[in-house]
Amino acid sequence: MVLLPEGVRRLAGWCGVVLLVAGVGYVLVRLCAELRTAVVPVLLALLGAALLGPLYRWLVKVKVNPSLAAGLTCVAVVAVVGGAVYIVVAALIDTGDQIVSSLKAAGNAVARHFGAAGTSLDDLAAHAKELLAKFGGTAASNVISGVSVVAEVIAMAVLALLLVFFFLRDAHRAAGALRSLAPRGTADVVEAMARRAFEAVEGFMRGTTIIAFIDAVCITVGLLVLRVPGAVGLGALVFVGAFIPYLGAFLSGAVAVLVALADWGVVVALWTLGVVLAVQVLEGHVLQPMIQSRTVQMHPAVVMLAITAGASVAGILGMLLAVPLTAAAFGVLHELRDVYGESGETGASGASPVSGA
C-alpha cells in the first residue's frame, strides 16, 4: 500500500539529496577554514600555475630543462609581482596623502550638505580617538595577533611559490595520478572534468589580468587628462580591484569620483564618472567577449553570489578566490553535461565520453 503520492515521494527524495549535498559542502568548507594554512597555498598555487602555464610551456618548447624552466618561471613571477607591488605602493605613497585629503574634503562636503550636525569627519575622528583610548588594551592584543597573521601570510606565500614550482614541473604527471585514483570505468570522465576545470581557471586568470591592465591604463589616462590628483595611485587601485569582478570596479571607481568631486567640483566629478562608466562598458561589451570568449561565461548574479559567499567564508581572500573556483565548478558542470548528454544521445553506440574543452 502506497501512503504517499509519487510526486511527494520524488520531492522528498530530492530534498534528501539537497540536504546531503549541503551537509557535505558545509563540512568541507569548515575543514578548509580549519586547514586554511595548507588549503590556501594550494589554491593560490593552482591559480599561479594556471596563469604562468603558457610561459613555462614556452620555455620547455625552446629546449629548457623542465626543472630549470619551472624555476625560471617562479623567479619571473617573484620579480613581476615584486615590481608590481613596488610600483603600486610607491604610487600610493606618492599620492596617498593627496587622495586621503581629497576624500576627507569630499566627506566633509557631503556631511555639510546632507548630514546632521556633529557628523563631520573631524568629529568622527575625535570620537574615534576616544574609543581608541578606551580600548587600548584590545588594540595592543590586536597588534600582537596582527604580527602572527603577517607571519602566517608570509609562510603561506612561500609555500604557494614552492607549490607553483612543483605544479608546473610535474604537470604532465597530473593526468596519470587522476586516472590512478579515479574509480574503475570513470578515469576518462575524471580526467576530462579536471582538464575543463583547469582550462576555465587558466582562461579566467589570463583574461582577468589583461582586462585589469587595460582598465587601469584607460582610467589612468582619463584621470590624467582631467587632472584628477593621484591618478596613478587610483589607476593602481583599479588594477587591483579588477580581480574582484563588479565590486572591485565599483569601489575603485567611486573613490576616483569622490577625489575628483573634492578637488574640482561636480563637473569634473561627472566627467570622471563618465570615464569610469565608459571603461566598464568597454570591458563588458568588448573586452570580456573578446578575451574571455573561450572560458566559462557566468551570469553577473552568479558572480556576485560567489563573491558574497567567498567574503563570508574567508574575507578578502575568499572574494579573490571565489570567482575562479566558481569558474572551475562551472567547467566541471559543463563537462558533465556534455558527457552524459552525449551518452544519452548515442546510447550504446560506444562513443567516447571525453569531450574537447
Side-chain angles (χ1 to χ4, degrees):
M1 178 180 178
V2 180
L3 299 178
L4 296 175
E6 178 68 19
V8 176
R9 284 186 284 131
R10 286 174 178 264
L11 178 61
W14 278 109
C15 289
V17 171
V18 170
L19 289 175
L20 178 62
V21 172
V24 172
Y26 177 79
V27 171
L28 288 176
V29 169
R30 297 302 303 173
L31 284 175
C32 290
E34 292 295 328
L35 303 174
R36 62 184 182 278
T37 308
V39 173
V40 171
V42 172
L43 296 177
L44 292 177
L46 286 174
L47 297 182
L51 183 61
L52 301 169
L55 175 60
Y56 168 77
R57 290 191 291 268
W58 178 80
L59 290 173
V60 173
K61 188 177 180 180
V62 297
K63 308 300 183 183
V64 178
N65 180 272
S67 296
L68 180 59
L72 290 175
T73 304
C74 291
V75 170
V77 73
V78 170
V80 171
V81 172
V85 169
Y86 173 79
I87 292 172
V88 171
V89 171
L92 291 177
I93 289 176
D94 292 339
T95 60
D97 293 338
Q98 209 170 11
I99 293 174
V100 170
S101 62
S102 299
L103 288 176
K104 184 177 179 180
N108 283 328
V110 172
R112 190 164 53 249
H113 287 89
F114 302 104
T119 58
S120 67
L121 290 186
D122 293 332
D123 295 327
L124 293 177
H127 294 313
K129 290 179 181 179
E130 295 177 3
L131 290 176
L132 287 176
K134 292 180 180 179
F135 299 102
T138 304
S141 63
N142 287 339
V143 169
I144 297 174
S145 64
V147 173
S148 64
V149 169
V150 170
E152 181 179 318
V153 169
I154 294 175
M156 289 192 296
V158 173
L159 179 58
L161 184 63
L162 294 174
L163 289 175
V164 168
F165 172 83
F166 290 117
F167 286 170
L168 290 173
R169 190 192 66 176
D170 301 330
H172 61 283
R173 302 179 183 176
L178 282 175
R179 296 181 73 89
S180 65
L181 294 174
R184 182 175 301 177
T186 64
D188 290 339
V189 177
V190 171
E191 181 182 351
M193 289 191 301
R195 289 185 185 277
R196 180 70 74 93
F198 187 78
E199 287 171 1
V201 174
E202 186 178 35
F204 172 82
M205 291 298 297
R206 184 170 59 247
T208 301
T209 303
I210 296 173
I211 291 172
F213 178 76
I214 296 175
D215 285 356
V217 169
C218 292
I219 289 181
T220 302
V221 170
L223 296 179
L224 288 173
V225 170
L226 294 172
R227 292 187 296 172
V228 175
V232 177
L234 292 171
L237 184 64
V238 169
F239 179 81
V240 175
F243 285 90
I244 304 177
Y246 304 112
L247 183 60
F250 171 77
L251 294 177
S252 58
V255 171
V257 171
L258 286 175
V259 171
L261 176 65
D263 273 69
W264 294 103
V266 177
V267 175
V268 177
L270 290 176
W271 276 104
T272 304
L273 178 61
V275 169
V276 173
L277 292 178
V279 171
Q280 295 305 313
V281 170
L282 175 68
E283 174 187 336
H285 293 82
V286 178
L287 296 179
Q288 283 189 348
M290 282 178 53
I291 296 175
Q292 293 187 333
S293 59
R294 296 178 61 85
T295 63
V296 176
Q297 299 296 314
M298 293 179 289
H299 193 276
V302 176
V303 174
M304 293 303 298
L305 288 174
I307 292 173
T308 304
S312 64
V313 173
I316 296 178
L317 186 61
M319 295 170 69
L320 292 172
L321 295 174
V323 180
L325 292 179
T326 305
F330 268 74
V332 171
L333 291 176
H334 287 181
E335 184 63 33
L336 288 174
R337 183 191 63 187
D338 293 343
V339 167
Y340 291 106
E342 289 180 2
S343 63
E345 293 173 0
T346 56
S349 61
S352 174
V354 181
S355 61

